[in-house]
């Protein structure tokens, strides 16, 4: 799909999300927070749910956890404009409570459509709600900093940046884990690069 078509399909999706009323929490939101970033990003970060600041601005990860996420992204030489950032659910739950299973289920088609349109090489799950969509039954303390590839997409699990705001030791863990992304991406690109086939060599005959 061309960049223009992709952007227009994403805009349509954002409009669909903006008028979504599948969940009770839609009543109290200021803005939906669909996601933002490069429509052709190699890396897509998926957090949990918008918080107060995100609901106010309609943009993902713009509060304290977002500042740390920006720092992490910059630490590997990237910028939030060159990656794509979204959440499992697109509306802020009241008092920042955990997303409910029905809310995750109702929002899932939006996330799936984003993944299909952006077609990232790596999906980075931030925290356990995002992780459990792609690594069901796994524990974040065991699998953070590791990846698995399913149907051409590589999933990489990380702690949620907000967790590091409460547990200082996780700051370093997140900084170490994110360092694995550039070599992982380089390796995936190498695997995906078409193998150059030499032009057919004609059988040279002396006779
Ligand atoms: N936490 C999230 O999971 N997502 C945001 O957008 C902000 C904080």
């Amino acid at each position: 799909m061309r960049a223009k078509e992709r952007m227009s399909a994403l805009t349509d999706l954002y409009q669909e999300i903006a008028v979504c009323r599948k969940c009770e929490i839609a009543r109290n939101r200021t803005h939906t927070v669909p996601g933002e970033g490069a429509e052709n990003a190699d890396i897509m970060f998926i957090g949990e749910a918008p918080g107060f600041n995100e609901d106010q601005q309609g943009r993902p990860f713009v509060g304290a956890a977002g500042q740390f996420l920006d720092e992490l992204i910059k630490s590997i030489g990237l910028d939030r404009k060159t990656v794509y950032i979204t959440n499992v659910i697109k509306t802020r739950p009241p008092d920042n409570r955990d997303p409910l299973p029905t809310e995750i289920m109702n929002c899932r088609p939006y996330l799936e459509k984003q993944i299909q349109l952006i077609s990232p090489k790596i999906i980075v799950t931030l925290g356990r709600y995002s992780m459990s969509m792609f690594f069901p039954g796994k524990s974040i303390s065991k699998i953070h900093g590791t990846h698995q590839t399913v149907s051409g997409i590589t999933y990489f699990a990380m702690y949620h940046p907000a967790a590091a705001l409460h547990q200082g030791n996780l700051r370093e863990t997140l900084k170490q884990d994110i360092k694995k992304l550039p070599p992982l991406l380089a390796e995936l690109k190498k695997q995906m690069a078409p193998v150059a086939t030499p032009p057919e060599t004609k059988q040279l005959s002396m006779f």
Side-chain angles (χ1 to χ4, degrees), residues 156-207:
F156 183 83
M158 283 180 55
Y159 279 103
H160 195 289
L165 305 178
H166 314 296
Q167 285 170 265
N169 59 324
L170 289 184
R171 244 185 122 79
E172 199 45 41
T173 308
L174 274 153
K175 284 183 179 172
Q176 293 306 320
D177 285 350
I178 203 161
K179 275 191 199 162
K180 297 180 186 169
L181 284 181
L184 177 60
L185 183 60
E187 180 57 34
L188 293 171
K189 283 187 171 170
K190 205 162 89 186
Q191 284 169 16
M192 286 170 194
V195 181
T197 42
E200 262 183 40
T201 36
K202 287 215 179 91
Q203 200 74 44
L204 289 177
S205 164
M206 304 270 287
F207 310 99

Side-chain angles (χ1 to χ4, degrees), residues 19-21 23 41 46 51 71 83-84 91 94-95 131 136 144 154 158 160 162 175 187 192 195 202 204:
V19 295
C20 178
R21 295 266 175 273
C23 303
I46 306 179
E71 205 184 296
V83 299
Y84 191 84
T91 290
D95 304 318
M131 176 201 69
H144 71 88
T154 296
M158 283 180 55
H160 195 289
K175 284 183 179 172
E187 180 57 34
M192 286 170 194
V195 181
K202 287 215 179 91
L204 289 177

Side-chain angles (χ1 to χ4, degrees), residues 37-159:
E39 81 291 339
N40 60 348
D42 284 332
I43 304 178
M44 180 173 187
F45 290 87
I46 306 179
E48 184 178 313
F52 174 81
N53 295 294
E54 290 76 20
D55 173 69
Q56 292 292 305
Q57 297 183 36
R59 297 181 54 213
F61 282 95
V62 289
Q67 274 177 22
F68 184 40
L69 180 61
D70 283 353
E71 205 184 296
L72 290 168
I73 293 172
K74 281 195 185 128
S75 76
I76 53 166
L78 296 175
D79 186 85
R80 70 188 275 150
K81 292 201 188 81
T82 59
V83 299
Y84 191 84
I85 305 176
T86 188
N87 285 300
V88 168
I89 68 167
K90 320 298 190 199
T91 290
R92 179 193 181 210
D95 304 318
N96 297 342
R97 66 151 167 74
D98 291 341
L100 300 176
T102 48
E103 291 161 355
I104 296 176
M105 195 180 71
N106 287 341
C107 247
R108 195 174 176 125
Y110 301 136
L111 183 61
E112 283 173 356
K113 187 80 190 170
Q114 283 171 309
I115 297 173
Q116 185 213 327
L117 289 172
I118 291 154
S119 186
K121 296 191 177 55
I122 303 178
I123 287 182
V124 180
T125 63
L126 300 171
R128 57 195 173 94
Y129 284 92
S130 174
M131 176 201 69
S132 56
M133 290 185 92
F134 307 104
F135 299 85
K138 295 279 163 55
S139 147
I140 187 91
S141 59
K142 297 223 169 69
I143 66 155
H144 71 88
T146 70
H147 68 273
Q148 67 173 34
T149 301
V150 182
S151 314
I153 299 183
T154 296
Y155 299 87
F156 183 83
M158 283 180 55
Y159 279 103

